[in-house]
């Protein structure tokens, strides 16, 4: 066949089989009725609804920004599909009258973090931060340490984001050291709030000091303290001991915590705001709240993530090392490839420098391109002149697909 031969467009057998298997699984999960399986296969085959391609994440990086951060749990996917129809997102079915949007997801979030008096969900973490600084400090000052002026990726800088709200940044301290007196000296009649940003994607080591939320509380008086945690841990995780969590920040005296839904929480893209009743009320009734309103799909997926069994992100973070090693060996042995110790990462701007010890199958570096462009697409880690395949973030149910993809990639070398 030449490159232009139209027969090249005939879908590959494994591609078609994957489609049949997916529909069968959806039927097993109760998403479609057993008698609808055939028509669902035909519908799926005729409509390639999106050009986004599913990727097996073999990098060992759990929250991989370029792969869309957190993969959703089966429960969240099912909730999302159900919510794509008409749902009671703003309706009380008992009375037939209008209800508060997303009460179900908000209740689930409050239940998961009882330290918060009230909560609000918006589109993403950046939107949550913009809403908070606009409502609390537009036209006034936001006091923030110079050690916390973070660029979060793709050139986006939190100080620029805050300045865009009309709040003025009042920088205090230095890159490596900020003291309580720096904050105290800056507090004045123009202060709107004090912002504490978790520098989630880098670490300053050596001669450093920062001021904790608890210390800030002693000096802030009635001024609101906002803690931007980034990661979205609601409670402490022993595996990530340095990672701040919403419960601890609120218990230490923060009035408001800002976090993402699709980082360590493992849910859909969302901005979580957890805080006092008074501040959440201020944010919820601000006109900007409507512009960053979250959609019903996100609310459904978030509620299911919070209420359901552990999502893929926490599962991958706490993967059993013995099982990971056994899976890695099984696939490597099938192909006669070596296995090496390999540290995974939390990723997504969380827990920088914290290794997640595991293993990787070692291939020649040139195998990486074949893996990326194969079907299924596999993203390995290219490092030290090798192509490393780490199974931490590959669901065990996909091991046979990964093996097939590796076999093809090795065969094309
Ligand atoms: C990731 C992050 C944000 C932005 O959150 P998004 O959900 O990506 O919009 C803000 N602040 C910190 C500290 C972060 O780590």
């Amino acid at each position: 066949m030449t490159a232009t031969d139209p027969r090249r467009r005939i879908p590959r057998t494994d591609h078609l089989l994957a489609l049949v298997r997916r529909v069968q699984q959806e039927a097993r999960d109760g998403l479609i009725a057993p008698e609808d399986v055939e028509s669902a296969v035909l519908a799926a085959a005729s409509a390639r609804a999106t050009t986004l391609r599913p990727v097996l994440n073999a990098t060992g990086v759990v929250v991989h920004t370029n792969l869309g951060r957190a993969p959703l749990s089966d429960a969240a996917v099912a909730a999302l599909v159900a919510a794509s129809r008409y749902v009671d997102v703003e309706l009380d079915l008992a009375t037939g009258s209008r209800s508060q949007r997303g009460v179900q997801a908000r209740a689930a979030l409050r239940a998961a973090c009882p330290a918060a008096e009230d909560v609000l969900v918006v589109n993403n973490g950046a939107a949550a931060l913009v809403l908070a600084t606009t409502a609390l400090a537009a036209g006034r000052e936001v006091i923030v340490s110079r050690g916390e002026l973070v660029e979060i990726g793709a050139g986006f800088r939190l100080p620029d984001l805050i300045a865009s709200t009309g709040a003025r940044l009042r920088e205090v301290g230095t890159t490596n050291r900020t003291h309580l007196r720096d904050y105290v000296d800056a507090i004045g009649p123009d202060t709107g709030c004090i912002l504490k940003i978790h520098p989630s994607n880098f670490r300053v080591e050596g001669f450093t000091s920062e001021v904790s939320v608890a210390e800030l509380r002693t000096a802030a008086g009635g001024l609101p303290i906002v803690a931007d945690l980034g990661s979205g841990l609601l409670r402490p995780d022993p595996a990530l001991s340095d990672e701040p969590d919403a419960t601890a920040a609120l218990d230490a005296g923060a009035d408001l915590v800002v976090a993402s839904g699709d980082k360590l929480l493992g849910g859909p893209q969302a901005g979580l705001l957890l805080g006092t009743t008074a501040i959440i009320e201020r944010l919820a009734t601000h006109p900007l709240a409507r512009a960053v309103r979250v959609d019903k799909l996100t609310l459904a997926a978030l509620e299911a993530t919070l209420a359901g069994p552990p999502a893929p992100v926490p599962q991958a973070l706490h993967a059993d090392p013995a099982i990971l090693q056994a899976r890695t060996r099984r696939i490597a042995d099938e192909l006669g490839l070596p296995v090496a110790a390999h540290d995974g990462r939390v990723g997504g701007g969380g827990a920088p420098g914290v290794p997640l010890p595991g293993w990787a199958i070692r291939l020649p570096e040139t195998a990486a391109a074949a893996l990326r462009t194969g079907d299924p697409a596999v993203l390995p880690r290219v490092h030290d002149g090798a192509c490393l395949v780490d199974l931490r973030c590959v669901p065990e149910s996909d091991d046979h697909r990964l093996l097939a993809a590796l076999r093809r990639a090795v065969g094309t070398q």
Side-chain angles (χ1 to χ4, degrees):
M1 269 194 279
T2 63
T4 54
D5 191 314
R7 284 176 296 174
R8 281 194 170 269
R9 292 204 301 273
I10 297 173
R12 291 161 51 147
T13 309
D14 56 346
H15 192 98
L16 291 171
L17 283 178
L19 195 142
V20 173
R21 280 200 200 96
R22 200 186 71 212
V23 174
Q24 283 175 324
Q25 189 58 44
E26 284 174 2
R28 276 182 216 113
D29 293 344
L31 295 174
I32 49 179
E35 54 276 16
D36 292 342
V37 167
E38 280 178 41
S39 57
V41 169
L42 291 175
S46 60
R48 199 176 152 82
T50 171
T51 52
L52 282 176
R53 292 193 56 200
V55 178
L56 292 181
N57 174 9
T59 60
V61 178
V62 180
V63 181
H64 199 299
T65 304
N66 302 150
L67 296 179
R69 290 199 184 150
L72 295 180
S73 65
D74 290 345
V77 172
L80 193 142
V81 171
S84 64
R85 319 273 153 74
Y86 290 125
V87 283
D88 60 345
V89 66
E90 259 180 57
L91 181 77
D92 181 348
L93 285 169
T95 62
S97 54
R98 183 170 179 181
S99 72
Q100 204 187 35
R101 185 181 181 84
V103 273
Q104 303 90 340
R106 286 173 76 170
L109 185 54
R110 254 204 317 273
C113 186
E117 287 174 14
D118 202 358
V119 299
L120 184 67
V121 183
V122 296
N123 262 333
N124 58 21
L129 190 59
V130 165
L131 178 59
T133 44
T134 305
L136 301 178
R140 305 173 72 193
E141 288 182 351
V142 176
I143 301 180
V144 61
S145 161
R146 289 196 172 87
E148 300 174 2
L149 299 175
V150 187
E151 176 170 312
I152 52 178
F156 284 102
R157 295 174 166 176
L158 292 187
D160 297 343
L161 196 75
I162 295 161
S164 76
T165 68
R168 292 191 303 280
L169 270 189
R170 177 73 183 265
E171 300 174 15
V172 298
T174 60
T175 307
N176 58 330
R177 283 170 79 81
T178 302
H179 307 284
L180 186 59
R181 66 171 182 275
D182 296 320
Y183 287 94
V184 172
D185 289 350
I187 292 175
D190 260 5
T191 309
C193 67
I194 300 174
L195 176 64
K196 179 114 184 90
I197 301 173
H198 173 54
S200 45
N201 52 8
F202 71 99
R203 265 207 323 225
V204 182
E205 281 180 43
F207 188 53
T208 66
S209 74
E210 62 169 319
V211 182
S212 68
V213 170
E215 288 172 282
L216 283 177
R217 185 74 276 164
T218 62
L223 282 174
I225 299 174
V226 180
D228 177 6
L229 301 186
S231 72
L233 272 190
L234 298 179
R235 286 180 297 263
D237 183 336
L240 306 170
S241 53
D242 288 340
E243 201 59 24
D245 65 277
T247 301
L250 291 165
D251 285 347
D255 300 280
L256 183 69
V257 163
V258 173
S260 297
D262 55 353
K263 292 181 180 169
L264 293 180
L265 187 67
Q269 177 186 304
L272 313 179
L273 293 146
L274 306 99
T276 62
T277 312
I279 290 206
I280 294 293
E281 174 73 11
R282 243 169 109 179
L283 303 189
T285 53
H286 191 282
L288 188 61
R290 182 62 179 80
V292 293
R293 183 175 89 169
V294 71
D295 81 321
K296 59 179 181 168
L297 304 180
T298 303
L299 289 168
L302 179 63
E303 183 188 354
T305 303
L306 290 163
V313 164
Q315 273 187 30
L317 287 174
H318 301 116
D320 182 332
I323 295 179
L324 257 186
Q325 187 177 28
R327 288 173 56 203
T328 310
R329 281 238 167 271
R330 204 176 309 132
I331 293 181
D333 289 351
E334 285 267 351
L335 302 166
L337 291 168
V339 169
H342 181 247
D343 287 345
R345 296 281 160 187
V346 174
V354 175
L356 303 171
W359 290 269
I361 304 168
R362 246 183 119 88
L363 285 82
E365 184 174 340
T366 47
L371 282 172
R372 281 198 318 273
T373 54
D375 188 10
V378 177
L379 185 67
R381 175 169 183 228
V382 175
H383 182 66
D384 259 355
C387 166
L388 301 169
V389 172
D390 186 316
L391 269 64
R392 176 177 298 279
C393 310
V394 178
E396 193 166 356
S397 55
D398 277 330
D399 278 2
H400 64 285
R401 299 175 67 222
L402 180 65
L403 172 61
L406 288 174
R407 184 168 278 137
R408 278 192 296 270
V410 174
T412 57
Q413 294 303 297

